[in-house]
Every structure is written in C-alpha cells, then in structure tokens.
Amino acid sequence: MSIIVVGSSKGGSGKSTLCTNLIARHLATGATSLLLDGDAQRSSSSWAATRDQYGVAPEVVSMEKLGPDLKRSALEMGKHYDAVFIDVPGNNSPELRAALLVADLLVYPIRPSNFDAWVFHSDMTELVSSARTYNESLRVMLVMNGLAPAPAERQQQILSLREYLADYSGFYLSPHFLCHRNAFIAAIKEGRGVVEMAGRNESLGKAKLELDAVYSDAMKTLAGARPAAYLQQEISQ
C-alpha cells in the first residue's frame, strides 16, 4: 500500500488535474487505487462523478474526507488498495498537514511564477520539515507544471525555477514537466486522464508523453530510487 499526496500550499497550481491524471495512469497498470478528495472544492470528486456518468472504465473509486481525520481514513482505506491518491486544498490546511503525516510521497506541482515560488519558500519548506519530524520517510517530488508549450519560453521557465530552487535541499525536482495544453482540459471534461483519450493531435500526443514521464518518475521516487536529500544534485544536471 502506498499513499501519494498531490498537494501545494498555493491554489491554482494544477494539483487536481495532476492528481486525476496520475490515478488514471496508475489504473492503466492494473493496480487498484482509491481517490481520496480532501478539498472542499471537490474538483477531483466531480471528475470521478463525470467519469462515472460517461461510463469510463476502469471505475475510479473515490471518497471525500475533510479535516485532520483524513489521516485515519487514508491509513484505513489503504489496507484495501494498492495505492491511495489524495487531493488536498491549495493552502496550509488541516487536510494537507494530516496527509503529510502518513504520505509515502508528496507530489508538489509548482508553476513558473513568482507567486508559486514565494509560497513554496514561506509555507512548504516548513510544512515538510514539520511532517518529517513524525514521518521520516516522507519523500517530496517537485513537478514543474503549466509550462509554456513553446520550447524557447519553456526552457527559460525551467532555468528560472531551477535557479530559484537551488538553495533548497531535501526535495527532488523532477527533470520532467507538464505544459499548459488543451488536452488536459478536454480530458477533465470527460472524466478521463490524457492517457485514456483517443486521437492523434499534437497537443494530446505531447500531453501523454509528459504525463507518462512524470508518472514513471513518481513511481521510481516512491520505490526509493531517490535518496532522501536529492534536490542539489538533480538541478545541476
């Protein structure tokens, strides 16, 4: 059983989109998964309900749990599934703090903006440090999200994020990323992940490749393929 939290201490980071796409990709492996929605906005729950309405298979089992008791629910439900994916609010919330106490992996989407970088500095480093007092094995993978599709602009965004994050340790900055693509929006409307969408258009093809790379990296990190303190080494590559 693995507990994977997709969270950020800032709203608008794309965490619900990332969470739903990761669980859709995980289900494609044949693993059993639960979607635990700890966000009062219910974005992930709405996606799961839409999936059910469209009759998309495999079914995504989802449940909602707000407040600090989310921790107990994750542990209890985790006994019955290969993985529990938790979507938490985009702020320093009781749900985020509770989830970090039991998480094996936190996937943290960060957008290329000063606002996201400042929030990471002011909130997230302290939250993770506090959680690791009780959950020493917590791993954190930062995913650059919502990047520009244009290669030149995207490369500049990546360089800027890496430069900003260079002073932090104990986090893994994935070399893989997700761009702002219409394919992600279209998939949400159907209750699907991009990997489940049919078609051969360029946006969809690139979205699938990006999501698959992020998912694979998350599974490697979850399996312990990364050391506990790895940001400094990775960003220099």
Side-chain angles (χ1 to χ4, degrees):
M1 179 266 289
S2 300
I3 297 178
I4 303 160
V5 177
V6 182
S8 166
S9 51
K10 184 183 183 304
S13 65
K15 61 180 183 57
S16 296
T17 297
L18 180 53
C19 185
T20 53
N21 273 275
L22 286 176
I23 195 170
R25 176 64 181 81
H26 197 61
L27 287 169
T29 68
T32 59
S33 305
L34 172 75
L35 175 59
L36 181 55
D37 193 348
D39 191 341
Q41 292 185 349
R42 302 185 66 255
S43 297
S44 291
S45 295
S46 297
W47 172 85
T50 301
R51 185 181 182 89
D52 186 58
Q53 291 172 1
Y54 276 86
V56 180
E59 177 189 6
V60 170
V61 180
S62 67
M63 65 177 291
E64 300 173 33
K65 191 66 180 182
L66 303 180
D69 201 42
L70 177 147
K71 175 179 65 174
R72 186 191 309 175
S73 296
L75 289 173
E76 183 59 34
M77 297 307 298
K79 298 175 183 177
H80 309 287
Y81 296 91
D82 296 324
V84 175
F85 288 81
I86 307 178
D87 185 8
V88 290
N91 55 62
N92 187 342
S93 64
E95 293 83 5
L96 173 57
R97 294 193 297 272
L100 292 182
L101 294 179
V102 296
D104 298 295
L105 173 67
L106 167 65
V107 179
Y108 186 100
I110 184 167
R111 290 185 178 273
S113 76
N114 285 344
F115 293 120
D116 285 63
W118 291 337
V119 169
F120 177 81
H121 170 76
S122 62
D123 283 348
M124 208 61 214
T125 53
E126 182 178 346
L127 277 171
V128 170
S129 177
S130 177
R132 280 180 171 155
T133 303
Y134 304 94
N135 182 9
E136 296 180 359
S137 62
L138 173 64
R139 295 174 180 271
V140 181
M141 174 175 150
L142 308 181
V143 176
M144 294 176 283
N145 190 37
L147 301 187
E153 183 180 356
R154 180 173 68 243
Q155 185 60 26
Q156 186 56 52
Q157 291 173 338
I158 291 173
L159 290 173
S160 295
L161 279 171
R162 286 181 169 177
E163 181 180 3
Y164 179 84
L165 295 168
D167 293 334
Y168 298 93
S169 60
F171 302 90
Y172 166 53
L173 177 60
S174 176
H176 305 290
F177 54 81
L178 298 176
C179 292
H180 179 74
R181 300 191 187 279
N182 291 333
F184 288 104
I185 299 172
I188 291 171
K189 291 180 180 179
E190 297 184 17
R192 300 177 186 269
V194 290
V195 297
E196 300 171 313
M197 296 289 284
R200 294 182 178 274
N201 67 78
E202 184 178 8
S203 173
L204 177 59
K206 289 183 176 180
K208 287 181 176 181
L209 289 173
E210 291 168 1
L211 191 281
D212 194 62
V214 169
Y215 169 81
S216 296
D217 208 14
M219 293 301 104
K220 291 177 183 177
T221 306
L222 183 64
R226 310 290 184 185
Y230 24 50
L231 181 60
Q232 296 287 0
Q233 302 94 312
E234 291 294 335
I235 63 172
S236 64
Q237 295 181 1

